[in-house]
Amino acid sequence: PGDLPAVWQAIRQTLATGKELDCYYRVFHKTRGFDWLHAQGRLLGEMDGRPLLLVLFTNAATELNIFQMLLDRSSRFIYVCDWQTREILYANLAARRQGAFSSEGQAQRHCYECIRGRDAVCEDCFLTAVKAQGIVSQELYNERQERWEHISGERLRWCGHDAFVLYVEDVTQRRQLRNRIDTDERRYKLAVEGANLAVWEYDVREHRIVSYDKGLGKFGVPDVIENVPQSMLDHFDPQDVPKLIRMYQEIEAGADRVSGDFWARWHPGERPRCERIVYSVEKDDAGRPIRAYGLGQIITAQKQEEAKFRQSMQSLLSANPEALFTFPVNLTRDLCGEGHGRSAAILNPLQADTVDGLMTNISRGIRSSGDRQLFGAHFSRVNLLQEYAMGSSNLHMDF
C-alpha cells in the first residue's frame, strides 16, 4: 500500500508525456517480508482505444544480490529507510533476526519502531544530523535493548526513493572495556602522581626514550631522548656511568627486568640527585627485546639518610674502638640488629629482637635503682623517637 501512489504517478506520467516508465515497488515475500521489483516500460500506442504499455519486470533484489549477500554477512544491523516517512525499505539479515519484521504488515514498519521501539519519530532523531553528503555517526543508549549502540548513516538513492542508510552496531562491551581502561588510566595517573614517579618507554631498536604523559618533564628531564644511553652519560656521576651502560646492555641482551640507583645532575648549578630506575622489558615472538617500560623515582633523601646512618655508625665505632658492645636498632619498627662487641659473654645476655627488649636487658645490669629508672626514661623507644623529632641526634648516660 505504501508504494501504490508512487506507482500510479509513474504510470500517469508515462501516459501523459510518453516518457519511459521507470519505477520500483515492493511485493510481499514469504521469507524476506518483502522483495523489490523494478518496472521499466514504454508507451507503444493504443489498442482498441486504450493505451498499450510494454513493461519489463525484474527482481530488483536480484540486481543487487551480490551486495545484499555481503550485507547479510555483516554482524551490524543495516537499515535503509525513506527520508520523508522513515519507512524501512530494506533490512539485512542481522536486522531481520533482531526482529525488524515479524508480520505481513512488516512493509509498513518504521525505523523508530524497529530500532527504538517507539510509536513516533524520536525526539533526538538521528536524521537531523545527517546532511546531504557525508557520513554522520554517534553513540546512543538503546533503552529498549538496554545496550549502547554506535549508529552511522548517510543519505542515498534506493530503488527510486530518497532514502538514508543506518548502520547500527552493538558497542556495549566495547564501551564497558573503554570505561574500564579509562578508570585504570585514571588510577594509574593518580598512583604515579601520588608516588612522585615518572614513567616512559624505551625503544630498544631506535635507542629512544619517550615519555608520552610528559612525566619526565616535571623532573627536569627531556620527555624525548635520542641516542640512549650515550647522550645521557655527561649528566651522570662518572662513578655510575659504567653501571648505567651495563643496565642498557642487559636490556638489549634480553633481560626481563633491570634496575639501578644513579646519581645525576641534569642542569648546571643544581645539586646532584639520586634516581632509582626500573625497567620491564617487552620482547617479540622470537624473544628479541623491542621496548622497555621505565619507572623512575627520586630517592635522594633516602640515600642521604642511609649515608648519614653509615657515617654515624662509622663515627661511633671509630670513636669507641674499645666499646663493650654496639647494637644497630630500628626505632620506627622496633627491631634490634645483631650486636658487636669485645666479649660474647657480654653480648649474648643482651641480644634481643626488639629495641624495647634490648633496653630491658641492659637495664638489668644497672645496680642503682635510680640510674635504672633514669635509663628507662631516657632510652625507651618512645622517648628516643621524640628526641629525634625535636632534633637530637645523640644521647648519652653514665651509670
Side-chain angles (χ1 to χ4, degrees), residues 308-349:
K308 182 179 178 181
F309 175 76
R310 288 194 299 268
Q311 184 178 2
S312 299
M313 290 299 296
Q314 187 62 38
S315 299
L316 179 63
L317 295 175
S318 299
N320 300 277
E322 300 298 323
L324 289 175
F325 54 84
T326 304
F327 283 90
V329 297
N330 186 322
L331 295 176
T332 306
R333 299 174 61 190
D334 192 17
L335 298 175
C336 179
E338 183 181 0
H340 300 276
R342 298 168 57 187
S343 170
I346 298 177
L347 283 175
N348 291 342

Side-chain angles (χ1 to χ4, degrees), residues 48-68:
D48 298 332
R50 297 178 180 179
L52 181 64
L53 291 170
L54 174 64
V55 184
L56 175 64
F57 298 93
T58 58
N59 189 330
T62 302
E63 296 176 1
L64 303 173
N65 185 56
I66 185 171
F67 302 106
Q68 291 189 357

Side-chain angles (χ1 to χ4, degrees), residues 67-232:
F67 302 106
Q68 291 189 357
M69 179 182 66
L70 295 175
L71 295 177
D72 280 345
R73 291 182 178 179
S74 172
S75 60
R76 292 191 298 178
F77 310 130
I78 302 176
Y79 304 88
V80 178
C81 305
D82 186 274
W83 181 267
Q84 298 296 332
T85 66
R86 308 296 200 269
E87 185 180 351
I88 293 181
L89 308 176
Y90 167 79
N92 72 337
L93 182 60
R96 296 197 298 271
R97 287 176 175 172
Q98 180 69 14
F101 309 121
S102 59
S103 67
E104 192 174 3
Q106 54 208 346
Q108 301 299 315
R109 299 292 296 272
H110 300 84
C111 60
Y112 49 80
E113 296 177 86
C114 298
I115 301 176
R116 307 295 289 275
R118 299 188 177 186
D119 297 328
V121 177
C122 306
E123 298 83 359
D124 56 346
C125 180
F126 181 79
L127 292 186
T128 58
V130 176
K131 300 179 181 178
Q133 295 181 346
I135 297 178
V136 179
S137 63
Q138 60 183 224
E139 285 191 7
L140 298 171
Y141 184 71
N142 189 327
E143 297 180 357
R144 178 191 185 191
Q145 302 293 338
E146 296 183 344
R147 68 188 182 200
W148 281 95
E149 296 174 336
H150 178 265
I151 303 178
S152 57
E154 61 182 327
R155 200 164 180 173
L156 78 167
R157 295 291 299 178
W158 177 275
C159 295
H161 284 256
D162 183 10
F164 64 93
V165 58
L166 283 180
Y167 306 95
V168 182
E169 182 179 5
D170 184 353
V171 295
T172 304
Q173 291 185 351
R174 187 170 70 193
R175 190 179 181 94
Q176 291 172 345
L177 177 60
R178 187 170 65 205
N179 289 339
R180 286 197 296 267
I181 292 175
D182 291 342
T183 300
D184 290 343
E185 287 182 348
R186 287 194 297 270
R187 290 174 178 170
Y188 157 80
K189 186 176 181 180
L190 290 174
V192 168
E193 292 178 351
N196 202 26
L197 301 174
V199 293
W200 65 89
E201 184 177 307
Y202 171 55
D203 189 318
V204 179
R205 296 168 183 171
E206 299 295 330
H207 301 283
R208 180 190 301 115
I209 283 176
V210 179
S211 177
Y212 291 102
D213 64 351
K214 310 299 181 183
L216 286 173
K218 65 183 179 183
F219 293 107
V221 180
D223 288 313
V224 178
I225 305 176
E226 304 285 353
N227 192 26
V228 176
Q230 279 70 26
S231 64
M232 305 188 302

Side-chain angles (χ1 to χ4, degrees), residues 269-374:
E270 71 177 8
R271 292 183 177 182
R273 69 188 187 202
C274 189
E275 302 175 358
R276 174 162 294 167
I277 300 175
V278 180
Y279 271 115
S280 297
V281 183
E282 181 182 339
K283 305 173 186 177
D284 59 18
D285 294 338
R288 294 184 295 265
I290 53 177
R291 66 180 60 86
Y293 300 99
L295 182 69
Q297 185 178 25
I298 305 300
I299 59 170
T300 307
Q302 177 182 337
K303 286 294 183 180
Q304 289 174 339
E305 287 297 322
E306 292 175 359
K308 182 179 178 181
F309 175 76
R310 288 194 299 268
Q311 184 178 2
S312 299
M313 290 299 296
Q314 187 62 38
S315 299
L316 179 63
L317 295 175
S318 299
N320 300 277
E322 300 298 323
L324 289 175
F325 54 84
T326 304
F327 283 90
V329 297
N330 186 322
L331 295 176
T332 306
R333 299 174 61 190
D334 192 17
L335 298 175
C336 179
E338 183 181 0
H340 300 276
R342 298 168 57 187
S343 170
I346 298 177
L347 283 175
N348 291 342
L350 300 179
Q351 186 69 56
D353 294 330
T354 64
V355 179
D356 293 334
L358 173 67
M359 299 308 175
T360 299
N361 292 341
I362 294 175
S363 67
R364 290 195 182 108
I366 300 176
R367 300 297 299 269
S368 167
S369 60
D371 285 347
R372 191 181 306 116
Q373 292 178 358
L374 189 61

